[in-house]
Amino acid sequence: MVSEYKNPRAKVAIYVGVVFFTFLVLLPLYVLFIIAFGSPSQTVAAYYPALFPTKFTLANFYNAFAGYGKILEAAFFKSLETAFIVAAIAILLGFHAAFGLSKLSFKLGSIIIALLFFSTMIPSITIAIPISATFLKLGLYDSSLGLAFAQELIVLPLTVFLIMGSLESVPKQLENQARVDGASFMQALYTVIFPLAVPGVVSAFLLSWLMSWDEFTFAVILSPVHPTLPVLIYLDSTARGNILTAASFSLLVTIPVIVLTIILSKFIKGNYLTAGITG
Amino acid sequence: MVVKLELRNVTKSYGKTKVINDLSISIEAGEFFVVLGPSGTGKSTLLKLIVGIEQPDSGKILIDGKDVTRLPPNKRNLAMVFQNYALYPNMTVYQNIAFPLKMHRIRNIPEKVRSIADKLNIGEILSKKVTQISGGQQQRVALARAIVRNPTLFLLDEPLSNLDARVRYSARGELKKLQQDLHQTFVFVTHDQKEAEALGDRVGVLHQGTFEQISSYNDLYNDPKTPWIGDFVGDYPMNFVGSKGFRPEWVELGQGEYKLEIDSSENVGGIYFIHGKTDDGESLILKADRRYKIGEQIRFSISKFKQFEASV
């Protein structure tokens, strides 16, 4: 299999494959864009919808969001707030937990990781109900922070697992060297190990952010009064069955994801990690 | 003489294996001390114990007369160069050298880094990433990072073994000169006898977790304390006939009480070494001035030998 990569024709085949799959992923997004911004006469109302519409309008958006005003805005920012809290807690706890676990023997570490994932085996709805009862007493019910705590249950095991993978590629010797060079345990952790684990940490941030962004079960049970975006869309737009409205809402959900992914993608390149260590 | 580093009855086991076994040594200030031993004899473990990455099971470690056995590495004021240099891959050459200064909150970092870099001829590459420089340059950066903050003791774990042969010879000379310029104490671990010979004021041969002999390389060669040392030290192992140990060059060929049947001859830069067996079946290697035929029999006498207590 390896020898295939030396063959220039195989390289071309890889590029063709990449272009094909990129196309496959981007086409639905493109269609979403033209439906949302194109004039309906050229898209949904046309007998043969144009792939490259010439007339654009913001009327679809305006019509879809008209009448929501503050509710929509509140839902959007509630989702945004929750997602950032979830992602922040996930990497804060996840990085330290992963570092601790990476210090244990492989056997013990694997057992603890398995135990962590155990919590995700229980259906969210089963846990959500007792949690909502407790949150009512604690005053966390219907709040972004409370919802973030609950979503952490699903997110954290994955985060720990992801960051552990990243930490495994950091040579143990570097921590020793940092200690010899005068770094305390904490200094070595934050000035040497953390920068090298950044690709894993950023992936974990992105993953937990995304999982929170469109999480539904906890959101609908723990925060029904002031809903998050997915819950609001479910409650209001799906029932109306209007493609133009659906496209506008879909874009509203998708655009922050794209923006965040593009911003963070430059951190997720881990191939320089061991380069300074090879003999 | 001032004692810089002292180990008292240090023992370290991993599981059931005793890697360091009741080892004691004292190293003087300004000394270039080489720890020599075959691989897997605990050389690196010994350095890790001194530097504080590992804790001994029992025994004491003293630096400048102070007990540091329970101190973490960052409180011992040592410098260490690992075999693979362990440069911080996310930092530039400059940042690597400045790192120990930053950790120790030392002032005038740019001037200090600059002057060390100039001394080691890496002033030109300060802004490069450590992943983009050659092996020889990486070794200098690791050295610069060790020297820059004036530690009390230098530990070097086979720092030359990752270099290719030509760079290795010049790096060896530079290292010795550097140690003499700095008047500092170096503890240098290697499995390479030529390095031990060229660098060490004293050489400690590590065997089964303890020093089997500590002396100059010459004494290791000419006056080994045990048959094992005689066997290990030297390009060729010591020859043994009964309890007599002798080097290949400690014989006179042509006549004498011993007889050797030649198996092979080998030419090393104009000097011949002949491998063969005595009547009693002992394998010997002798120095000769010409090639001998396979199967040829020659007589020889031993002009100098070392008497060991028991035969091997």
Side-chain angles (χ1 to χ4, degrees):
Chain A
M1 286 303 279
V2 175
S3 64
E4 270 184 301
Y5 290 96
K6 290 177 182 160
N7 185 343
R9 273 160 77 188
K11 211 169 182 181
V12 169
I14 288 173
Y15 282 120
V16 170
V18 166
V19 168
F20 176 72
F21 282 107
T22 311
F23 185 72
L24 220 59
V25 171
L26 288 184
L27 187 66
L29 267 178
Y30 175 71
V31 171
L32 189 63
F33 262 92
I34 58 175
I35 293 177
F37 290 108
S39 166
S41 62
Q42 288 191 324
T43 54
V44 286
Y47 200 68
Y48 294 110
L51 197 54
F52 303 102
T54 48
K55 288 185 217 157
F56 296 96
T57 174
L58 284 175
N60 303 332
F61 262 81
Y62 186 78
N63 292 335
F65 300 148
Y68 283 106
K70 289 275 179 260
I71 304 176
L72 184 71
E73 200 184 316
F76 181 84
F77 283 108
K78 176 147 191 171
S79 277
L80 211 59
E81 191 186 352
T82 310
F84 275 109
I85 297 174
V86 167
I89 296 177
I91 60 168
L92 190 74
L93 293 181
F95 173 70
H96 294 93
F99 181 72
L101 284 173
S102 72
K103 291 268 168 188
L104 296 177
S105 72
F106 180 74
K107 208 173 158 189
L108 194 58
S110 307
I111 292 173
I112 295 178
I113 281 280
L115 281 175
L116 282 177
F117 275 105
F118 202 73
S119 68
T120 59
M121 288 165 66
I122 308 164
S124 297
I125 206 142
T126 325
I127 331 172
I129 293 161
I131 287 179
S132 69
T134 313
F135 276 7
L136 273 171
K137 284 184 223 153
L138 295 174
L140 285 170
Y141 191 71
D142 211 42
S143 73
S144 300
L145 187 64
L147 180 57
F149 283 160
Q151 290 175 344
E152 216 61 65
L153 281 173
I154 328 166
V155 167
L156 206 49
L158 269 171
T159 320
V160 173
F161 190 69
L162 253 177
I163 300 178
M164 253 182 97
S166 200
L167 282 174
E168 264 159 33
S169 68
V170 179
K172 179 90 180 68
Q173 201 105 88
L174 288 178
E175 188 191 344
N176 290 338
Q177 180 71 56
R179 297 300 307 278
V180 176
D181 282 342
S184 67
F185 175 77
M186 285 307 201
Q187 281 173 319
L189 184 59
Y190 295 128
T191 58
V192 171
I193 297 168
F194 180 79
L196 296 175
V198 156
V201 172
V202 172
S203 314
F205 185 92
L206 201 55
L207 184 84
S208 44
W209 194 94
L210 290 175
M211 284 176 83
S212 164
W213 182 246
D214 68 353
E215 200 276 337
F216 193 82
T217 315
F218 281 127
V220 80
I221 294 176
L222 295 178
S223 186
V225 186
H226 297 96
T228 59
L229 200 54
V231 176
L232 184 76
I233 291 173
Y234 165 74
L235 291 177
D236 285 355
S237 79
T238 47
R240 288 198 273 165
N242 182 333
I243 285 188
L244 290 173
T245 314
S248 305
F249 275 102
S250 300
L251 262 192
L252 189 66
V253 177
T254 312
I255 285 171
V257 177
I258 297 173
V259 170
L260 193 70
T261 310
I262 290 172
I263 292 172
L264 295 183
S265 62
K266 68 168 178 161
F267 294 105
I268 314 180
K269 287 175 199 147
N271 54 4
Y272 64 89
L273 272 187
T274 50
I277 282 303
T278 50
Chain B
M1 273 299 200
V2 186
V3 175
K4 175 58 78 175
L5 169 73
E6 192 179 350
L7 273 69
R8 287 187 197 151
N9 310 98
V10 170
T11 297
K12 174 75 185 175
S13 312
Y14 291 118
K16 281 179 184 157
T17 329
K18 265 198 177 158
V19 185
I20 299 295
N21 188 5
D22 197 25
L23 179 146
S24 297
I25 172 85
S26 70
I27 292 168
E28 284 161 9
E31 188 176 6
F32 202 122
F33 187 86
V34 173
V35 178
L36 178 66
S39 43
T41 42
K43 300 189 299 285
S44 292
T45 306
L46 181 63
L47 282 198
K48 284 182 182 165
L49 288 170
I50 298 172
V51 85
I53 294 166
E54 300 276 0
Q55 294 282 315
D57 300 332
S58 64
K60 270 193 166 53
I61 298 166
L62 294 94
I63 294 168
D64 292 322
K66 202 176 125 226
D67 187 350
V68 297
T69 317
R70 298 290 153 203
L71 286 183
N74 52 321
K75 301 265 193 255
R76 295 191 182 192
N77 193 25
L78 309 178
M80 181 156 176
V81 177
F82 288 93
Q83 184 171 4
N84 54 25
Y85 314 135
L87 300 176
Y88 308 120
N90 55 325
M91 300 182 195
T92 61
V93 171
Y94 176 90
Q95 289 168 325
N96 262 276
I97 302 173
F99 185 83
L101 297 175
K102 254 165 67 185
M103 289 300 125
H104 285 87
R105 299 207 172 108
I106 292 170
R107 274 191 249 173
N108 299 330
I109 293 180
E111 292 81 19
K112 290 206 164 78
V113 172
R114 169 64 56 189
S115 89
I116 286 291
D118 288 342
K119 192 171 190 163
L120 290 171
N121 290 324
I122 46 174
E124 307 293 309
I125 55 165
L126 279 179
S127 57
K128 283 199 178 169
K129 285 219 143 199
V130 290
T131 49
Q132 295 165 340
I133 59 179
S134 73
Q137 287 171 329
Q138 290 184 343
Q139 190 253 352
R140 283 155 189 267
V141 174
L143 264 181
R145 185 176 59 184
I147 300 167
V148 71
R149 81 189 140 90
N150 259 325
T152 185
L153 179 66
F154 291 84
L155 306 169
L156 302 103
D157 188 358
E158 308 215 14
L160 306 177
S161 64
N162 279 352
L163 301 174
D164 47 52
R166 190 169 294 194
V167 185
R168 187 155 66 224
Y169 291 123
S170 60
R172 186 200 288 169
E174 284 167 18
L175 191 65
K176 181 74 181 173
K177 189 170 174 299
L178 188 68
Q179 185 258 343
Q180 284 166 346
D181 287 352
L182 295 168
H183 301 294
Q184 286 280 18
T185 318
F186 277 43
V187 178
F188 183 100
V189 156
T190 186
H191 68 271
D192 185 324
Q193 306 211 7
K194 291 274 168 272
E195 279 176 15
E197 185 179 6
L199 292 169
D201 296 326
R202 282 194 302 163
V203 178
V205 185
L206 205 57
H207 182 221
Q208 293 178 338
T210 192
F211 284 119
E212 187 133 336
Q213 183 171 355
I214 301 168
S215 63
S216 70
Y217 186 83
N218 264 343
D219 284 355
L220 290 179
Y221 187 83
N222 291 314
D223 188 18
K225 288 277 176 292
T226 64
W228 187 87
I229 296 279
D231 187 76
F232 174 69
V233 172
D235 287 339
Y236 295 99
M238 201 168 222
N239 298 304
F240 291 96
V241 174
S243 60
K244 287 181 182 171
F246 57 98
R247 295 289 177 190
E249 65 274 21
W250 295 357
V251 294
E252 274 169 41
L253 299 183
Q255 54 190 346
E257 51 181 317
Y258 300 102
K259 206 167 75 185
L260 188 77
E261 185 177 330
I262 313 290
D263 289 335
S264 65
S265 306
E266 153 178 29
N267 181 352
V268 183
I271 299 164
Y272 290 87
F273 288 91
I274 50 176
H275 300 240
K277 280 198 179 63
T278 61
D279 289 343
D280 298 337
E282 280 152 324
S283 293
L284 302 180
I285 300 166
L286 304 180
K287 190 181 156 193
D289 46 15
R290 67 176 177 87
R291 190 177 289 280
Y292 287 84
K293 282 200 206 86
I294 295 169
E296 202 173 329
Q297 304 222 338
I298 55 162
R299 303 198 73 85
F300 68 93
S301 62
I302 302 173
S303 54
K304 181 182 165 190
F305 62 89
K306 165 91 186 167
Q307 184 74 47
F308 291 103
E309 279 170 20
S311 63
V312 280

